[in-house]
Each structure stands twice: as C-alpha cells, then as structure tokens.
Amino acid sequence: MSDNVSIVIVSHSADVAKGAADMVRQMVGEEVRVACAGGTADGGLGTDVAAIMAAIEEVWTEKGVAVLVDLGGAETNSEMAIEMLGEDKGAHVAILNAPVVEGAVMAATEASGGSSLDEVRQTAEDFGA
C-alpha cells in the first residue's frame, strides 16, 4: 500500500457508505486506502462522530485524508471528528465539497497518482461544480 492521500466516505446510510467505498476500491484499486462511516451505532440512519474518527484514524496518513459527506449532518459530525483528532492530525484532513460517489472516485483517482491533498480536493470539487 502506498502513502497516498486516503479517502473517507461518510453517509447517513451504512449501506451507501460501504457501497461507495467498495466502488472506489473496485475502480481505483489498492493504491488508495478507503474507509467509511455510515449510519448510527444501532443500525439507523445518521452519522456518528466516534465512527467517523475511527474511519479517519484507520486510513490517516501525513499526506492527508479527504472526507466526502452526503448531507449536512454528516458534514457537521465530520467537522467535529476532525477537531477531536487534534490540531496535528486534523490539519491533514479536509472535507471535500463534491458529490459522494463521483467525488470519491475522482478524488481517489487523483490520489492514486501521488497528488497532494489540495490537488485531490481541487479535482473532486471541480468535478462537482
């Protein structure tokens, strides 16, 4: 596994988060680490700050972690998770303003070439514009 920017997908649905992460792995391969957090601990719809933190920690790298979210609450909880990582780690994590599935594929494709977190963000966000 290379040291590329990693991807975290956060969705209110565990199935959507897992499905999007699986699709990224199938399309981009193993060059980019992908984790996901979806649903609540009891299997309902929603997001969980602790699960988002765990997903970020699972794939964290100095190169950076790009987080894609589906709805407003996912973004708010992702922001909280990033803050709780602490300044050192949190500085290497960015929430992208891009569609979850298409943005994650575009971000992972860019990351697989060794691009920086800013380049990965720009590629995903340009796609969503």
Side-chain angles (χ1 to χ4, degrees), residues 46-118:
T47 56
D48 180 302
V49 173
I52 297 168
M53 282 183 65
I56 294 170
E57 293 274 9
E58 179 184 331
V59 297
W60 192 88
T61 171
E62 291 271 338
K63 191 106 183 208
V65 178
V67 179
L68 290 107
V69 300
D70 64 353
L71 299 170
E75 182 172 0
T76 301
N77 281 344
S78 294
E79 290 170 349
M80 290 175 60
I82 293 167
E83 283 182 25
M84 293 172 70
L85 289 171
E87 250 180 73
D88 289 342
K89 280 191 170 181
H92 299 274
V93 182
I95 299 172
L96 308 188
N97 184 17
V100 173
V101 176
E102 297 92 340
V105 171
M106 294 304 294
T109 301
E110 184 70 34
S112 70
S115 298
S116 69
L117 181 58
D118 285 340

Side-chain angles (χ1 to χ4, degrees), residues 7-9 14-29 32 34-37 100-101 104-105:
I7 307 294
V8 169
I9 298 168
D15 290 339
V16 169
K18 182 183 178 317
D22 288 346
M23 185 172 172
V24 170
R25 289 184 195 103
Q26 290 170 5
M27 294 185 76
V28 179
V32 176
V34 180
C36 62
V100 173
V101 176
V105 171

